[in-house]
Amino acid sequence: MMTRTEKMMSTRQLFLFIIQAQIGVGVLSIPFKLSKTAQGGGGITMILTGVITQIIILMFWGLLRKFPGLNLFQICLRLCGPVIGRGLIACYIAYFILIGANIMISAVRVLQRWMMDATPTWILLALFSIMTYYLAKEKLTVLARFYALSSILFIPLIIFVSYGLTQAHFEYMYPLMEAGIWNILKAMKDTTISMYGFEVILVIFPLIDATDKKKLRMVSMSNLFVTLFYTFVVCTCLMVFNTGQLRLIPEPVLYLVKSLNFYVIDRADVLFLPIWSITIVCSITSYAYSASIGLTQLFKQKDHRVFTPFVSAAVFAICLVPATPIANHHLDVVAEYAAYLFVFVLPLIMTIGSLFIKKTRGGTA
């Protein structure tokens, strides 16, 4: 199978791979979403979301340890048999394609609002699809090297956001518990979907050259980095904008960057968005690659490159469907509930089911 012919990924590459898969469109809008519910406690909400994410990662690890050498799709066959297992694989493939499409259309909407309002939507979608295709058809080690190289771009992103602290008013955040503990917990619903991407570990876990404990440690470190990064972004926006202002700005991070005076650069947001777009491409590619691997398992093929064009075409086609804000909202809702099902509910059921199966190594059902 594919997992036996691929080269192995190092733990350092794994660290950057998961970070690139997790950080996406949500980083631009999370402060806006949290201002409605958590208010000054947005940073607390992000930390709690990171804790929940870590619990799910531990659940994934427990499931994958039970089936050494197998990925998510092979585990589906082992647990559920050839018929139900293949049906479950097909559902996961559809999920990966749906989430990839949701990320892509969300990114395109942001670019059109801030830079390319006169550019037809289909052209931007086509550009993202082409970039995704050329990356997703490569082996995992190639993706890992590209992700590692593009991770350098996090430095200017962090610098841009950090520069906003020069305009910070710490009193804007206080009192932290103004909205109450219930609203702070309730706001986790708006932040959880933005943390997704770590579920690709279910697909790439057998292709990492390390012990299970080292894999867990590295994925946990990735989640910690993303949690702290998101918390930093949220707290910075909370200190720069008051609650009333945040409720009127859908992408406060971009508004913050645009308002900064770098002397040499007139509009920093024009520089920020292309850098951020590379991270979006990485995030979409992670899902496209996972869907392609699922198709190789479903149709018993050895090379996922055969299916990558179809995955990219499917993502592109789904993105063309929602033509109105209401349709876009419906797509967001569907993606959100699909994530709850495929990231938490089904893995939890499989984990419970695995408790009744003896630990085995290699092979598929």
Side-chain angles (χ1 to χ4, degrees):
M1 292 306 297
M2 181 69 181
T3 55
R4 293 172 187 166
T5 59
E6 283 261 29
K7 292 182 179 180
M8 304 294 278
M9 178 195 295
S10 70
T11 51
R12 292 182 180 179
Q13 290 174 327
L14 172 64
F15 173 74
L16 297 173
F17 192 98
I18 299 299
I19 289 175
Q20 291 283 12
Q22 274 192 273
I23 295 179
V25 183
V27 69
L28 302 180
S29 58
I30 278 182
F32 167 74
K33 295 177 179 178
L34 291 178
S35 66
K36 297 179 178 179
T37 311
Q39 299 180 23
I44 299 175
T45 299
M46 282 310 314
I47 293 174
L48 292 175
T49 303
V51 173
I52 296 299
T53 301
Q54 183 60 34
I55 293 173
I56 297 175
I57 289 173
L58 288 171
M59 179 179 69
F60 287 175
W61 182 69
L63 175 64
L64 291 164
R65 281 193 72 191
K66 189 74 175 182
F67 301 93
L70 303 186
N71 61 27
L72 168 68
F73 308 113
Q74 295 163 335
I75 291 173
C76 288
L77 291 174
R78 179 61 59 86
L79 280 175
C80 305
V83 178
I84 298 177
R86 293 186 185 282
L88 196 54
I89 290 173
C91 290
Y92 263 104
I93 292 169
Y95 163 74
F96 288 134
I97 292 174
L98 173 65
I99 297 299
N102 187 54
I103 295 172
M104 186 183 293
I105 191 62
S106 298
V108 167
R109 291 203 305 263
V110 171
L111 289 174
Q112 287 181 320
R113 279 196 295 267
W114 285 86
M115 285 181 62
M116 305 174 179
D117 57 312
T119 306
T121 301
W122 69 270
I123 291 181
L124 293 175
L125 292 174
L127 290 173
F128 271 110
S129 298
I130 291 171
M131 289 186 289
T132 299
Y133 164 70
Y134 276 104
L135 279 174
K137 71 182 181 68
E138 299 295 338
K139 291 186 176 182
L140 184 63
T141 48
V142 176
L143 292 185
R145 288 194 291 268
F146 178 81
Y147 285 18
L149 182 63
S150 60
S151 295
I152 299 174
L153 298 175
F154 280 124
I155 297 174
L157 290 182
I158 294 173
I159 290 175
F160 280 139
V161 178
S162 300
Y163 198 76
L165 293 174
T166 59
Q167 303 178 6
H169 299 274
F170 292 93
E171 65 272 14
Y172 285 174
M173 287 184 60
Y174 300 114
L176 294 179
M177 304 297 292
E178 176 185 6
I181 186 64
W182 169 247
N183 284 324
I184 289 175
L185 295 174
K186 183 180 177 182
M188 291 172 61
K189 178 180 179 293
D190 298 320
T191 58
T192 303
I193 188 70
S194 299
M195 296 287 285
Y196 289 153
F198 62 89
E199 66 268 28
V200 298
I201 190 64
L202 292 169
V203 178
I204 68 174
F205 195 82
L207 300 175
I208 303 163
D209 186 18
T211 63
D212 289 344
K213 290 184 178 180
K214 287 183 178 179
K215 294 176 187 179
L216 173 63
R217 186 184 309 121
M218 203 55 62
V219 176
S220 300
M221 289 176 62
S222 299
N223 180 55
L224 177 62
F225 175 87
V226 174
T227 301
L228 294 177
F229 177 69
Y230 273 44
T231 303
F232 171 68
V233 170
V234 169
C235 290
T236 300
C237 289
L238 287 173
M239 288 187 289
V240 173
F241 307 105
N242 60 44
T243 304
Q245 291 172 328
L246 274 178
R247 290 177 179 175
L248 301 175
I249 309 173
E251 288 96 24
V253 176
L254 288 177
Y255 196 87
L256 167 65
V257 174
K258 181 181 178 180
S259 66
L260 299 177
N261 183 8
F262 289 95
Y263 301 104
V264 178
I265 303 172
D266 183 29
R267 282 191 59 185
D269 59 305
V270 176
L271 198 59
F272 182 94
L273 281 170
I275 297 174
W276 165 80
S277 296
I278 299 299
T279 300
I280 295 299
V281 170
C282 293
S283 185
I284 300 170
T285 299
S286 300
Y287 285 107
Y289 175 84
S290 298
S292 299
I293 295 297
L295 286 167
T296 64
Q297 188 69 42
L298 188 64
F299 293 101
K300 299 181 179 179
Q301 298 296 315
K302 294 184 177 180
D303 194 344
H304 76 286
R305 290 181 295 180
V306 176
F307 302 102
T308 307
F310 299 103
V311 171
S312 297
V315 171
F316 177 74
I318 292 174
C319 290
L320 289 177
V321 174
T324 64
I326 295 178
N328 286 324
H329 174 70
H330 288 329
L331 178 63
D332 289 340
V333 172
V334 171
E336 179 181 348
Y337 284 99
Y340 293 149
L341 175 63
F342 289 98
V343 177
F344 179 70
V345 177
L346 290 179
L348 177 61
I349 293 174
M350 285 191 284
T351 300
I352 295 173
S354 69
L355 298 177
F356 302 97
I357 296 180
K358 291 184 178 179
K359 187 174 182 178
T360 56
R361 179 172 293 278
T364 58

